[in-house]
Amino acid sequence: MSDSVLQPVTSFPALGALPLARATSDRRCESRAQEDWLDSLRAAERTRYLVMIGGRARVLDGELVLMPAADLPEGGTEIYLGFDGSTEIVLHSFEQTPAAWAAPGSADELHPGQWLGLRDVAAGLGARDAGLFVEAVAIANWNHATNFCAGCGGPLTLRASGWVKFCAAEGREHFPRTDPAIIVAITDDADRLLLGANKAWGGTRFSTLAGFVDPGESLEAAVIREVAEESGVIVKNPRYMGSQPWPFPRSLMLGFTAIATGTELFPDGEEIIDLRWFTREELADAVRTGEIGVPAGVSIASALIENWFGGVLPQPEHLEN
Ligand SMILES: [Zn+2]
């Protein structure tokens, strides 16, 4: 692993280094704005390319596979990612498998490794690679989805090494967007945790409440509004806990805690179909017996729940055998 330019962020208020928020590479925003930046990197010895196909990247022995320009297939969208202290790293993103790699016996088979998605592998990657992968997925999502000008409907061309799209007809620049979303661990006077079951999860998976920030709304107001809408609970004292990007397709999850002013629960019935208060013992038992599932892996929901719980939640018993 190369020396990193930036230190991992260690100033999260309470949640520590979240799996998708450990980036260490320098995005070199001034350099990437230069018109010939990607061309000059093509010719440079120290440039390596991350190939991503439909949001999946190749991983070998717990590291992203980076390749020289000579090994790249034709086509794809090229976007600058960053400098890790010794290597310039550029994304080469395809929405679908490039023709050169589609046929059996193609060049793809000469490169070992497994094609994996960000959520599958992020927790097992080092900080540099986790940061590069989350950046790659986020900027690729925007790039592949933004093909026409929102002002005039005209075609857009890439600029700034993939970080700006330009409408020549209007001389207008379009920049990548991120949608802020709050997610909140609510506790009552007895320090019980409120979790809800989303209709989309089948009714037995419980998690912290979450929602997008409205236009013109503060984060704190969004916490209070979302919780009231989904549970009928009025909360006070929203406290920021940490954040991580969640590029599925383009969210930034902002974690909070908040205190409930009452305990009566009114699930909205649309999004949230069940709500429960849990003591630590009740939650551990419900998870252990398989009565409910809770978020695991790289989500900030998991970090918020375990921060309240005071450690790692038990595994369901049927998995221990
Ligand atoms: Zn336009």
Side-chain angles (χ1 to χ4, degrees), residues 95-110:
E95 289 184 272
Q96 292 172 341
T97 305
W101 285 4
S106 70
D108 185 37
E109 296 194 349
L110 301 175

Side-chain angles (χ1 to χ4, degrees), residues 292-321:
I292 67 161
V294 290
V298 298
S299 71
I300 192 171
S302 171
L304 283 167
I305 293 170
E306 294 195 337
N307 178 69
W308 164 83
F309 187 71
V312 178
L313 279 165
Q315 293 288 313
E317 266 165 2
H318 65 271
L319 293 179
E320 285 174 1
N321 297 327

